Amino acid sequence: MGSSVEQNILVTGGAGFIGTHTVVQLLKEGFKVSIIDNLDNSVIEAVDRVRELVGPHLSKKLNFTQGDLRNKGDIEKLFSKQRFDAVIHFAGLKAVGESVANPRRYFDNNLVGTINLYETMAKHNCKNMVFSSSATVYGQPEKIPCMEDFELKAMNPYGRTKLFLEDIARDIQAAEPEWRIVLLRYFNPVGAHESGRIGEDPKGIPNNLMPYIQQVAVGRLPELNVYGHDYPTEDGSAVRDYIHVMDLADGHIAALRKLFDDPKIGCTAYNLGTGRGTSVLEMVAAFEKASGKKIPTKLCPRRPGDATAVYASTERAEKELGWKAKYGVDEMCRDQWNWANNNPWGYQKKH
Ligand code: NAD
Ligand code: WQD
């Protein structure tokens, strides 16, 4: 779309999993991009690989700053040097278990960082924001598919930060109607760029299903614990809405266009999911098919706090953003395996 040419986007947390994939798509779509990331949960190698993927020409339109949103001065430095048309705000901590053990760290990082960002944006009159929310704001939904107007509920401190930040966004926009804010509620992001050069690289033992399966497949972990085999689902394991990270990346482009084109957007939430539910055991089978590797599994008790089945209603995103996920679980597993097989130790060069 012509109107996007040379629009300048600040991407917080752009060195992370979803950030890197989104930055590739932004550059390819003609946006200029500045990343701010403190590299708390990422490495500079990921940004180097983004540059490699887009090539030397588009790479010139990408700036990286190592900075921390908790330091207002780090954000101010960026805004005082250039004008941003919008911010895509990924930066945050996201490990549910860690948030239960150390809630202060989560409130400090996710809340203080975001408030600093809004303050600096307001000061420099940049009032367009795309915020990374999460399906976690639906808690344990009583009905599925999850619709954006469902009642919201946090199940843990991480979820509480997302819920608070959604409320903060709604309050700011209500008080100052010139703000345009899109809240994107991601379901379960998985997969990797088709090149196999960028992907998810969690530190330590993974909490989430797909990175865990991936590490079993490459021999870093012996077997997958399947948490729950007595759920009221077809095969007894829990059901989630897995979404390919490249579909998610494209969802951000659609959200930006909506922000720029629709002065009446206000503060609106959109689900980014496929609308389809897949069980843990179905996901294991799909990964085995894609990789040709056997994934040994152990059936274990349910993980506390887990819901039986969660998947998205995609109606609003389809209708208002004109966005729909293209990929199914086979492509998610194919690309996740391609990333894993080429980078068994993630971004580490050797082990
Ligand atoms: P990620 O950890 O890979 O990326 C987040 C990035 O933010 C990291 O590179 C980290 O170093 C950076 N960061 C964190 N705190 C920062 C700070 N104070 N200042 C500067 N940089 C900081 O995570 P991701 O999977 O790419 O997730 C991105 C966003 O999407 C997060 O807000 C997360 O809560 C949300 N989200 C993720 C998922 C998921 O399953 N991956 C699901 C729903 C929502
Ligand atoms: C998926 C399914 C597990 C690991 C989390 C956050 C949510 C959002 C997305 C950020 C569940 C099962 C998992 C394992 C397993 N993140 N599982 N063995 O819990 O749906 O959502 O990530 O916003 O807030 O809570 O994702 O990948 O952890 O689990 O059996 O080793 O896989 O029990 O049913 P979840 P997940």
Side-chain angles (χ1 to χ4, degrees), residues 152 160-173 183 267:
L152 305 180
R160 219 158 343 267
T161 68
K162 291 296 176 196
L163 194 49
F164 286 156
L165 289 169
E166 282 209 1
D167 284 337
I168 286 170
R170 283 184 278 267
D171 284 345
I172 290 176
Q173 202 282 327
L183 308 170
C267 179

Side-chain angles (χ1 to χ4, degrees), residues 94 96 133-136 158 162 186-189 206-210 212 224-227 238-240 242 280 303 306-307:
K94 60 166 183 177
V96 171
S133 187
S134 163
T136 192
Y158 165 71
K162 291 296 176 196
Y186 314 149
F187 280 66
N188 290 61
N207 302 302
N208 298 114
L209 180 66
M210 280 299 265
Y212 205 106
L224 172 75
N225 294 323
V226 176
Y227 297 131
V239 166
R240 295 291 183 272
Y242 298 93
V280 173
R303 195 170 64 174
D306 272 0

Side-chain angles (χ1 to χ4, degrees), residues 36-50:
I36 180 169
D37 198 302
N38 64 1
L39 302 180
D40 180 275
N41 197 37
S42 50
V43 289
I44 197 66
E45 170 75 14
V47 179
D48 294 341
R49 291 197 188 184
V50 167

Side-chain angles (χ1 to χ4, degrees), residues 136-163:
T136 192
V137 299
Y138 294 115
Q140 295 198 352
E142 276 166 27
K143 277 189 298 179
I144 33 177
C146 297
M147 313 229 359
E148 286 86 347
D149 58 4
F150 275 13
E151 203 182 319
L152 305 180
K153 192 166 177 247
M155 304 290 294
N156 49 64
Y158 165 71
R160 219 158 343 267
T161 68
K162 291 296 176 196
L163 194 49

